[in-house]
């Protein structure tokens, strides 16, 4: 069968949550893809560190926020 690892879908959802940050942060496709990559990486790190922020909603939301903050800081976007 064509079964995927469940974490892949969760990482993709985390990236999409981060992508909802708005056009002022993700104005171009490369930035949006980069934000998704940072969000997925943050999610994987959260899993590896003692299963940090257990609970799917808490982990996904926290890592999406972290990734969005990292990209905003890198791009110099101020609220």
């Amino acid at each position: 069968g064509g079964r995927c690892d469940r974490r892949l879908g969760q990482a993709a959802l985390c990236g999409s949550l981060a992508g909802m940050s708005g056009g002022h942060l993700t104005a171009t496709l490369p930035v949006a893809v980069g934000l998704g990559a940072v969000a997925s990486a943050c999610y994987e790190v959260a899993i590896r560190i003692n299963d940090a922020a257990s609970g799917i909603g808490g982990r996904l939301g926290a890592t999406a926020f972290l990734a969005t903050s990292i990209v905003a800081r890198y791009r110099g976007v101020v609220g």
Side-chain angles (χ1 to χ4, degrees), residues 9-79:
Q10 292 170 351
L13 176 60
C14 183
S16 69
L17 289 173
M20 291 183 210
S21 59
H24 63 284
L25 180 63
T26 56
T28 65
L29 182 60
V31 174
V33 170
L35 176 59
V38 171
S40 295
C42 289
Y43 178 76
E44 286 297 317
V45 168
I47 289 173
R48 304 280 184 239
I49 300 175
N50 290 331
D51 208 21
S54 62
I56 297 302
R59 181 182 297 141
L60 292 177
T63 55
F65 173 76
L66 178 62
T68 303
S69 297
I70 290 169
V71 172
R73 174 81 173 157
Y74 175 74
R75 295 201 61 226
V77 175
V78 178

Side-chain angles (χ1 to χ4, degrees), residues 1-5:
R3 295 188 50 111
C4 292
D5 186 356

